[in-house]
Each structure stands twice: as C-alpha cells, then as structure tokens.
Amino acid sequence: MSYIPHTEDDIRQMLKTIGVAGIDDLFKDIPSELRPKSFNIPEGKSEFEVTQHLRKLSAKNATHLVNFVGAGFYDHFIPAAVDAIAARPEFYTAYTPYQPECSQGWLQAIYEYQTIICELTGLDVANASLYDGGTALYEAAMMALRLTGRNKIIMDSGVSLIYRTMLYTYTSNLSIEFVEIPVVHGQSSREELFKHLDDKTAAVILQNPNFFGAIDDYSDVVSRVHKFGALAVASVYPVSLGMLKPPGEMGFDIATGEGQSLGLPLSFGGPYLGFMSVKKEIVRSMPGRIVGATVDSDGKRGFVLTLQTREQHIRREKATSNICSNEALCALRAVVFAALLGRGGLKELAEHNYWKAEFAKKTLARIPDVEVKSSSPTFNEFTICLKRPADEVVYKMIDKGFACGFPLGRFYKGMDNYILVAVTEKRTREEICLLADSLEAVLR
Amino acid sequence: MKLIFERHKSGRRGFSYALPDVPQAKPLAKQYCRKNDTLLPSLSELDVVRHYTNLSRLNFSVDTNFYPLGSCTMKYNPKFTERIVAFEGFAQVHPLLPQLSGGGMLAQGSLEVLYETEKLLAEITGMNAFTMQPLAGAHGELTGIMLIAAYHKDNGARRKYVIVPDSSHGTNPASAAIAGYKVIVIPTDKDGYMDLEEYKKKLNNEVAAVMLTCPDTLGIFNPNIKRIADMAHEAGALMYYDGANLNALLGKARPGDLGFDVMHINLHKTFATPHGGGGPGGGPVGVSEKLVDFLPIPRVVKRVDGTLALDYHRHKSIGYVAPFYGNFGVILKAYAYMLYLGKAGLIQAAEIAVLNANYCLASLKEYFAPAFDKKCMHECVFSASRQVKNGVHALDIAKYLIDKGYHPPTIYFPLIVKEALMIEPTETESKETLDEFIAVMIEIARLAEENPSCVTQAPIHTPVKRLDETKAAREPNLRWQP
C-alpha cells in the first residue's frame, strides 16, 4: 500500500526528463557493497486491516479502572472543541512557521498561548513550548547555570523524582554539583535548604504543589535565594494555578511545568507539553521558539518567530539549546482549552479538584488503618499511609476496578506503605465512596 | 485578526462543569491563593471555535498547499492514523499504569506497540536496538551523544571533541555542545563532500564521535561514507547518523550497514506523522550492539511467557531522557504507517521521493544554479546566485512562491550554499503538482530578468505583507497586555 500518486506513464516521462533509464540509476551513488544486508519487513496491509489490528491491541489495555493515579499526570476532562480545533489539518499538517506570511494562524495562536502561560504563572514572557515538564525543568537549570556562571544546583526532593532523574541524566557529562533537600512531613525543609544556599548556587528548584500534593508559599525562600544571587525555579501544575498563588507572585525567576492537564489526553506518556515562562530581564537566555508581534510594511499587526539569534539554526554550537521541533500542536490544545474555560472556568476547575480531593481525604481518613499523612494543605493529591505494603494493596485494588493511587515506595525510600492519591474533577462522589469501601475491604 | 483576548466579554462561558457533588471545602489560607484571577478571555464555545478555525485558514499546510520545505520531509499524513490514536484504549491509558504492581498486564497493548515499532525500526535501519523515548529529532541527537559519552566513560576514555561537517543541521553542533563536547567543523570540498584531508587531520584519539547526515544536507550520498566510518572507528570514535534524511534510503541502504553506531529517526519526517505546526515529533534512537547496555530505562522486554514488561534493571543505562516511553501517540501513528506501507511501500517511498527531487532538479537547473552538478537523492539544492545579480534574493523567491500558493523551500540552508533554495518534494506529490510548481519557478527566473521588482515586492496576496523582523527583535512584544 502507498500514498504515491504516480502512474507508470508519469514515471516514464519523469525519467526521460531526468535523462536516466530507470529509477535504479538514481541510486548509483550507493555502492553495491553498502546495500542492505537484510530488509525483512512484512508486506503492507489495508487501512482496514491495520485499523482492526490496532483496535485489538488497544483492547488489551485496561480502560475500565477508575483512576486515582496522578503523580504529575492527570485525568481531566477534555472538551470536544479542543479535539475539533486540533484536528484542523491547516494546523496539524503545517510545520514550524518559518515563513510568517503564510503562517499567521500558527504564529498568532502561539502568541496567544504564550500569553496564557504568562497569565497562569504570573511571569512576564513564555516560549512557544518545550517537550515536556521534565525537559523544561532541565532547560531552566541550564539557563540558570548560563546566567550565573555558577555550577551548583539545589533541588528539593518534593520535585518529581521523574524530573530529578531526567535532570541527572542530562547533566551527567557536565560537572554540576547537585544538592537534594529532603522532604520533612511532606514539605520542603527551609532549614536544610538555607544551610546549603551559598554564593556558588546557580539555582534552587522547587515544585508547587510538590510531588506529595502539598501546597506551599515559597515567597520567603525566593527572597533568600535572590540574596545569594541565585535563580529561583518553580515546577508547577497549571490547573492548580486557577486558584493557587502563581510562581510570579512568589518572585520566582523561571516557571516550568507539564501542560498535559490543559486539554491533552494521558496517552501513555505523550505527546505532552513542556511550558516555560521567565522574567523579562532574562528572556534572551530562554531556550526554544518565541513568537513576537510586529507590523508589516503597511503598518498592520502581524506575528513572527523572534529573538532567533538564541537558536541552533543561527548559533549552532553556541545556541541556548538544541531544540528545533517543539510541541506546538499540544500548545494549541492548551490555549483552546484555556480559552474555552476562561477565567471563571479555570478557577472552577481548580476548585472542583480541590473540593473533591478534600472530600476524598475525609472519606478515606475514616477507614481504620488508613492515615491521611498530609499535614500541610494539599491541592488535588495527597498521601495516605497504610499498615501494609502499598504495592500489595494497589495490586488488590486493581481487582476491585480501581487504580487507587501511586505507591510511593518505588520513588522514596522508607515510604513502602504510602500511596499517593489523586482526585480530579472527573471523579464522582460515588466513585470516591466506592474507593473507600473497597479499600476498607482490602485492608480488612 | 483580533486576538482571542480582544474578543473577551465578561459573563460569557465556553465550557461548564457539573455542579460539584461534594461539599465545598474550607477555603485555603490566603497566603496560598492567587491575588487576582487570571485574564483568560471569557467567550462562548462558538467564539472560540470560530476564532481558531479562522486562524487555521491563515496557514499553509500539507493538506492545503504543496510544501517542499527541504530537510523537513513534508509528506502526506495519513488520516486513518489520527483515528487510531484516539481509540480510548490508547488515549486514556495513564503512563504509570504498567509501573503499578501487577500493572504491566494492564497496558500490554501499548507495550506491544512500542516493542513492535522498535523491531521494525531496527530492521529498517540495521541497528541493534532502539529507545523510543526521545521526543524529537534534536532530542534524539542529545540522547545519542549522551550514549556515546557513557560508552567512552565506561571504556575509561576521556574524549573531548565531536566532529561535524559545515553542511550539518544546526542541531548537530548544538546537541554536541550541550552534552559537554567541543565541536570541530570540517569544511565541504569542491564536490560537495566532507573534506577527507581535513577530516584526517582533525581525527584523533580525543574525538568522541563524528556526526553525519546521509544523504547530506546537499541531498547527495557520500560514496566515501564507509571509509569515513572506518577511519573514525580506527581512532576509537563512534559514528552518529542524523536521520533527518532517512526517507531517501528506505530499503536502499541502512545506517547500521554503513558503519554507524548511533542514530536518530525523525518519525514526523520519514514515517509520516504530522508535523503539528512545529511538533510534537518523535526521535527514537537506534544503537549498535556495543551501546545497547547504555540505552535509557525502562526497556520494553518480552518475558518467557510471551508477555511484555518494563525492565529497569540495567545498571549501565544513562537514565531517563523522557518522563515515560516517548511520544506514544506519535510512535503509534508511525507504527500504523509502517504496517500499511509494508516492505514494498517503504522502498517505493524512497524511490519516488528521489525521482521527484531529481525531476525538479532536471527541470529547473537551466534556470537556477544547482549547488552541485550531479544527481540528487530526496532533495535538491539550488543557489539563487543568478537571480541575485538582478537584486532578487532567495527570500524574494520564497515570498513570491507564497503569493502563488506554494510553501517555499527551505532557504539560506545549508549555510555553505549562498542564497540556498532547498527543495524536498517528497513522494506523495504528483507530477502535475510538480509541473505547476516548476512552471512558477521558471516564471520567477524570467521575472528576475525582466521585472525584478515584481518578485521583490511579494507577497501581496497574503493576510500580512513582509513583516518587520528587526522591530520584533529590538522591541520584543511577546504577549498580549490588557
């Protein structure tokens, strides 16, 4: 099967124009000894056959479980209009808007997306997107190293372990000193953090809400960080910013995060959306594409990719980052999602998440042998402690039809009996009560 | 067009949630809450849909326009793959599901997609194994360079340099530099190949890797490729293959057989997944046997009973380069595309891509100066040098093409060709489309001689005329302000 429109006659005429006898003549530069040693690929199938095959595979995945797993990636409802706009081929079959006159739709949409990210995070400028929340955090760390010329990074262990692991992977060939601050009672320990903060520190990285769902106001930490000339970097959850104090209000220099919650399906880990916003003083050190407004030769407003002298296609080995493709279509989903919800809708979404999680907290706390561990306020996720290994309980809960949460022992030493439970607006009172009943039955 | 924020009207709603079925919780303490609401616009659903639908109509795209953007492989994106990624069983699976105890069995379908795609890519490229984690081509490059660094470190070697030719994509030197290497640039010789003498001079036991695109960015296959690889290996360096141009080689040559140790694939180029206005892409990285141990974790492995599982126990692994298993939705589309095309379809894709590019080259070389006078692979590069004499630059040609309804070729790249125009028609474009495009290009060549201002004033039929990019950079306006 193929999407090739050529008739045999077309091919003959084209070969004649080129002046060769056959298509093989066009591959003469590849010496015969360099031809494939094998090419054992199955023969093509019809669209129907491939679709059926993949439908069968999709049915091997569990979709019946009521989902209370979050850990940075959340099961939110996606309005149909988001899918409809992202399915416009004029958006999804275009590429990076290098030629502004025939890409104004994309450029304006990205400009609007950048504005939304600034509004959510309370910072001045945002880029056109990065791959995911983890690579965005890595880029933020690299930015801090460049801006300060220092090489020490302090990272709270309330930052997702997935992101911390990614950061270590990316920097393993560079000489960077990392200090991890332990979490005490689910919250970042200022005492420990301040002990390590010094004038060699390039950045302090925090997450809000942190991996355990705990909310904090880091304003005090940020002003202390600035006294040492370091940058404060926050990894944030955009839905929570409908109600929580944004990083900009706390004084952070850079905010990053995973935008999946803004209208992207969970889709087994991607495509997702890394976002980044920064204070305007440091915009020229920000990685990634940036769209700016300008005027055309008639003075009419238009949009272009701008500040490109930071980028790899101009600066090559001196670029701020190697990024080329980003996650534009995911950014489009985010801006459409945010525009549909509007200021009122986003606040409502955040509140529903908060209320449902609080309800779940209370409901689960009534179960004997379940202790709700969060001493500080939480947003839509919290930890419970059991008297038995969490792994075993999670396993048994799957049989009851629940993905009841993420067992923390895999990520944190000494937390084998802990489960991280996420409750989004999609979870009903009934589901929450059933979760509690089933958990009680499993623990009995 | 107005901005979405300029359409705001207080009191409108585009989406509503059901009334909560749980009691309102005690409000959070003020110190944790935002002072003011966001300035997100309030609009009806139709307001939002019409705004973005009308914005979409201001774009050129593969579905609406011929898009011969060189090095980007803007081939047709199948529609049926869009339907497949939307299957609930794929779209709604939480990535942590297989990481729960006993959860592996809950995601066998998705794990199979990853496992089978890896196998197909390995056979197509002659590599030993792939990681599906990298989220785009440049991300794959960075991953590949980190694998190379891990390999050398494991062998106790301290190597400082990465060699790239001056014709390379900008991402190559950028990726090498970000991974901590110093970059050595090798010039191109008069035939369009990497200068072998210079290469010999620069190659030593401090070189970690040589990064090459093949066919290179001039659209030509370097017949010395194996020699270059052998020399690198003798010096203890590894060969990195930038897969941006893999479309030309499907079934014709495999990077593994050519002597490459590490490579990335741009799924959104060769394997027809949509470019999405700049992403998401997919950048799986393939390696030869000696590098398999260093691949990111987790690896998808087959157990004795035939079920699939995630393997984290690989002590030499570099770690995670993505939060999970890659851009799964993109990988799934690429897998469906490969199954649909099959062996014959893949080979034919390469053949017709090369045929189309050579047809453009042969039809236009009388009018525009080819960068090198030889047959090309999947793309052809011209210089607008003849037109520049009359004041018509590559940029002007691009803008005139926009007026005529064509997305321009890549311009001013590769950097080594002055006034470059890089045309990659891809295999899915018909002879009629190419003939019409060629006619317009010939018209441009004629206008450049007879009436150059006609070209230099373009575009005039677009929503905006040429934009002031200097103003955009000098006075950055990067967000809407109320």
Side-chain angles (χ1 to χ4, degrees), chain A residues 1 3 6 13-14 27 29 35-42 44-45 47 54 57-58 60-62 69-71 73 77 88-96 99 101-106 108 111-112 114-115 119-120 124 131-132 138 169-170 173 241 243-246 249 266-272 284 292-298 300-301 304 306 312 316-317 321-322 325-329 335 340-343 345 348 352 354-356 377 391 395 410 429, chain B residues 1-2 4 6 8 13-15 17-18 21 25-26 28 31-35 38-41 51-53 55-56 58-63 67 74 77-80 89-91 93-96 99 101 106-107 109-110 112 123 135-136 138-139 168 170-171 175 177-179 221 248 251-252 254 257 274-280 318-321 323-329 339-343 352 356 399 429 431 463 465-468 472-473 477-480:
Chain A
M1 308 293 159
Y3 295 101
H6 296 56
Q13 284 184 42
M14 293 171 84
F27 289 89
D29 277 348
R35 294 308 176 110
K37 291 195 178 119
S38 77
F39 200 67
N40 292 321
I41 305 296
K45 293 185 174 67
E47 184 174 317
L54 288 165
L57 283 193
S58 79
K60 286 188 181 180
N61 290 333
V69 175
F73 310 90
F77 183 77
R88 295 278 308 179
E90 298 93 329
F91 277 128
Y92 82 79
T93 73
Y95 201 20
T96 307
Q99 296 288 345
E101 298 87 349
C102 60
S103 314
Q104 281 300 298
W106 256 121
Q108 183 173 329
Y111 180 83
E112 293 174 357
Q114 289 172 185
T115 307
E119 278 300 314
L120 287 176
D124 304 325
Y131 307 127
D132 82 301
Y138 150 70
T169 301
Y170 285 120
N173 208 31
L241 297 173
M243 61 189 274
L244 297 189
K245 186 182 274 189
E249 273 186 37
L266 283 163
S267 189
F268 206 54
Y272 287 169
R284 284 172 199 274
T294 184
V295 292
D296 74 359
S297 45
D298 292 341
K300 191 176 164 192
R301 178 171 69 190
V304 293
T306 193
Q312 48 79 22
R316 298 175 72 84
E317 67 269 24
S321 164
N322 71 335
S325 285
N326 55 21
E327 307 287 304
L329 196 68
V335 69
L340 283 168
L341 265 62
R343 54 193 75 175
E348 192 176 295
H352 286 199
Y354 172 59
W355 295 341
K356 294 214 171 183
D391 263 344
Y395 184 69
R410 272 210 48 225
R429 183 190 191 108
Chain B
M1 250 178 79
K2 276 187 177 174
I4 191 90
E6 293 161 352
H8 161 79
R13 280 300 280 275
F15 185 78
Y17 290 94
D21 54 3
K26 202 176 95 199
L28 278 171
Q31 69 173 120
Y32 299 122
C33 297
R34 63 186 312 144
K35 272 192 227 126
T38 61
L39 292 179
L40 264 51
H51 176 78
Y52 287 105
T53 302
L55 274 188
S56 80
L58 304 180
N59 295 330
F60 281 11
S61 67
V62 172
D63 281 9
Y67 211 123
M74 302 300 289
N77 308 131
K79 301 300 157 200
F80 82 101
F90 287 132
V93 182
H94 196 291
L96 284 170
Q99 298 186 33
S101 38
L106 304 173
S110 291
E112 189 169 332
E123 179 62 19
L135 303 169
H139 196 217
S168 72
T171 49
S175 300
I178 278 159
F221 186 92
K252 299 292 174 187
R254 306 189 308 167
D257 301 335
H275 284 66
I318 59 168
Y320 304 173
V321 297
F324 299 104
Y325 328 105
N327 272 343
F328 180 78
L339 292 181
Y340 177 80
L341 256 61
K343 182 177 182 172
I352 302 298
N356 276 358
K399 301 306 181 196
E429 297 296 338
K431 179 171 179 294
K465 293 187 181 164
R466 286 200 202 188
L467 289 151
D468 189 344
N477 169 350
L478 310 178
R479 60 156 294 178
W480 165 79

Side-chain angles (χ1 to χ4, degrees), chain B residues 63-81:
Chain B
D63 281 9
T64 53
N65 305 76
F66 180 40
Y67 211 123
L69 189 64
S71 239
C72 298
T73 317
M74 302 300 289
K75 60 168 82 174
Y76 174 66
N77 308 131
K79 301 300 157 200
F80 82 101
T81 59

Side-chain angles (χ1 to χ4, degrees), chain A residues 167-187:
Chain A
L167 213 53
Y168 294 141
T169 301
Y170 285 120
T171 54
S172 61
N173 208 31
L174 314 175
S175 17
I176 296 169
E177 182 194 343
F178 278 101
V179 180
E180 272 200 20
I181 306 301
V183 168
V184 180
H185 303 303
Q187 259 196 324

Side-chain angles (χ1 to χ4, degrees), chain B residues 79-296:
Chain B
K79 301 300 157 200
F80 82 101
T81 59
E82 298 295 319
R83 194 192 277 170
I84 288 166
V85 289
F87 288 166
E88 207 171 288
F90 287 132
Q92 303 215 351
V93 182
H94 196 291
L96 284 170
L97 210 54
Q99 298 186 33
L100 305 179
S101 38
M105 293 314 290
L106 304 173
Q108 286 293 303
S110 291
L111 292 177
E112 189 169 332
V113 169
L114 295 171
Y115 186 81
E116 293 298 328
T117 307
E118 181 183 337
K119 277 207 315 200
L120 281 174
L121 294 180
E123 179 62 19
I124 288 170
T125 59
M127 304 307 284
N128 204 275
F130 268 84
T131 171
M132 306 307 291
Q133 274 189 37
L135 303 169
H139 196 217
E141 289 177 19
L142 179 56
T143 304
I145 294 296
M146 291 192 303
L147 291 167
I148 289 169
Y151 169 83
H152 288 308
K153 207 175 186 178
D154 191 55
N155 286 331
R158 294 191 61 85
R159 291 173 180 254
K160 288 191 286 205
Y161 302 101
V162 168
I163 287 181
V164 301
D166 60 358
S167 62
S168 72
H169 294 115
T171 49
N172 292 181
S175 300
I178 278 159
Y181 285 104
K182 291 198 171 66
V183 174
I184 298 174
V185 181
I186 307 291
T188 300
D189 69 16
K190 61 179 186 355
D191 297 316
Y193 304 127
M194 181 167 84
D195 191 316
L196 271 184
E197 287 309 310
E198 276 299 308
Y199 172 62
K200 258 184 232 163
K201 262 189 242 163
K202 295 286 161 63
L203 191 62
N204 60 45
N205 61 8
E206 288 201 302
V207 173
V210 180
M211 291 181 94
L212 292 181
T213 313
C214 176
D216 62 24
T217 60
L218 296 160
I220 50 188
F221 186 92
N222 188 337
N224 290 322
I225 194 83
K226 191 77 187 8
R227 235 178 102 204
I228 293 170
D230 290 344
M231 285 160 67
H233 290 148
E234 272 162 40
L238 298 180
M239 290 292 291
Y240 184 93
Y241 178 88
D242 173 343
N245 296 345
L246 182 68
N247 202 43
L249 296 189
L250 296 170
K252 299 292 174 187
R254 306 189 308 167
D257 301 335
L258 301 178
F260 286 94
D261 303 287
V262 191
M263 71 174 292
H264 79 265
I265 287 174
N266 303 75
L267 294 178
H268 47 291
K269 295 179 181 176
T270 307
F271 296 104
T273 69
H275 284 66
V285 166
V287 294
S288 59
E289 199 171 356
K290 57 183 175 243
L291 286 148
V292 173
D293 288 349
F294 304 100
L295 286 172

